[in-house]
Amino acid sequence: MESQIKKIHQQLVSKEITCTGLIQEKLALLKQNTHNTVNSLLDEMALALAKKSRC
Amino acid sequence: MKWLWLWLKKVDAKIKNGEEMGLLEGIPFGVKDVYMLQGTFATASSNLLKKYKSAYTATAIQKLLDAGAIPLVKENCDAFGHGSSSENTVFGPVKNVISPALVGGGSSGGSAVNVAKDFTVFSIGGDTGGSIRQPAGYNKVFGLKPSYGRISRYGLMAYASSTDCVGPIAKSIEDIRIVLNIMSGKDARDQTSYVSEEISENLSSSTIKKVGYFNNFIDNEAISKEIKADFLTTLEKIKAKGIEVKELDFFDSDVLVSTYYTLAMAETASNLSRLDGTNYGARIEGYNLKDTYAITRSEKFSEETKRRVVGGNQVLSQGFSDEIYLKAQGLRGQISKRFSEEFQKVAIILSPVTPTSPPKIGESLKDPLAMYLSDAYTVGFSLGGLPTLTIPKGTSTGLQITADKKKDAEVLQFANFLNDIL
């Protein structure tokens, strides 16, 4: 499989997606906790970082 | 949080300087819940630390934050790394991505499943005896246990300090490489860490001509027919590409497992002695201080954790330590020496990740010994401090690729080659 990091990086640089949009999407998936993978969600921190990020 | 304020200042500075956006900026990642991340819960999936908040950030995690990656989640795992199924947790068992009735593997089960489900782009797990490699195999993603010391362990809750490794889980070798490069490096706060070279992007050419495998891992009643057949087919595909495949003799997997667990239990008994209700986490008051220690630990540690602590203290106690603990240390020395000898003959050693497919949720808890034996193929490489990568090909639970100490680049190069032919 191709690099997910590079693929998303390109999408962020070309403004196809935004940081905040991406983080919100992932947090929504994690919130459902379908596979019991979540001990604690870092939503406040992640959204604050995304908001201030350059993407 | 002070670190957040400092991070934001760094971003502002980058914008002012017109710096290009780094590869990891904005990339969401997960963190196994045994790492410190200042201001967030660090529970180790245990009742004892369920309300404990980190006072500082682990070096490896800080490096990712400095690179602009965004942490989303503290991930479920076996408590303190004690387990191979991610069922030894107060947050409920992690479910396998292929079938939710099966275990997610462990102890970094939550991390592996989050990557497999694309909930995170990459996750940071911890591997002491297979805890990144096995769940990566069970959930069909890549998972790397780097050479011991390549990445600082500062801020990782210690299980067995002499084999604990920080490592990435991701969906491609390239993503493993990117994250590994960011996290690697000497840290004054971890005296076992060392300076390492960045691994270049050019992994396409592999000059490896000779690989080996341990015959006694394969010619073994414990391995499933399917995994054995798939592994042998993989070896044939490698031979067809002109690479010599050498059969090697090694210690029996029973010896590897018993050596590992003797040492790991001893080390975890020592490391967890700090959790006594005084400085960290929960406290249940007893009649006196000694009683408080006993009740807090009895009530708040899980059965599996207690089993390991009691076992560890047993092997370290007077009358037993010479016979058991020191003997295991001696064996470990012999295992390391044998690895050095084998790596004179071959550049890479290949192995299945597990002898069988993931068990159903609930099965492992009934038979802890069977769970320990399922680590047969991973613990040896841990004892040797060797870099080992699980790739999600070659057998139904993946393939381990191992090289000599500090040859992490060779592991990734050969993985790239195998990824193309399998």
Side-chain angles (χ1 to χ4, degrees), chain B residues 130-180:
Chain B
S131 290
I132 285 174
R133 293 164 282 157
Q134 184 250 53
Y138 275 178
N139 294 285
K140 303 203 183 298
V141 291
F142 294 86
L144 175 69
K145 185 201 81 68
S147 293
Y148 179 79
R150 188 179 175 103
I151 301 176
S152 169
R153 289 175 296 113
Y154 179 76
L156 164 65
M157 286 192 214
Y159 163 11
S161 311
S162 71
T163 61
D164 286 343
C165 286
V166 176
I169 298 172
K171 276 192 160 178
S172 70
I173 297 165
E174 180 59 5
D175 286 351
I176 294 281
R177 184 194 71 84
I178 291 167
V179 177
L180 176 66

Side-chain angles (χ1 to χ4, degrees), chain B residues 301-349:
Chain B
F301 277 152
S302 67
E303 291 305 304
E304 181 58 37
T305 294
K306 283 188 281 196
R307 187 176 293 119
R308 294 186 190 213
V309 168
V310 168
N313 280 319
Q314 176 84 44
V315 307
L316 287 171
S317 63
Q318 193 176 19
F320 289 93
S321 62
D322 283 353
E323 267 305 305
I324 305 176
Y325 177 74
L326 292 179
K327 191 172 178 180
Q329 285 282 42
L331 270 170
R332 184 181 185 172
Q334 290 177 41
I335 290 165
S336 272
K337 188 166 172 249
R338 183 77 75 82
F339 272 128
S340 298
E341 289 163 6
E342 302 300 358
F343 281 117
Q344 299 294 315
K345 303 173 200 165
V346 300
I348 293 283
I349 293 173

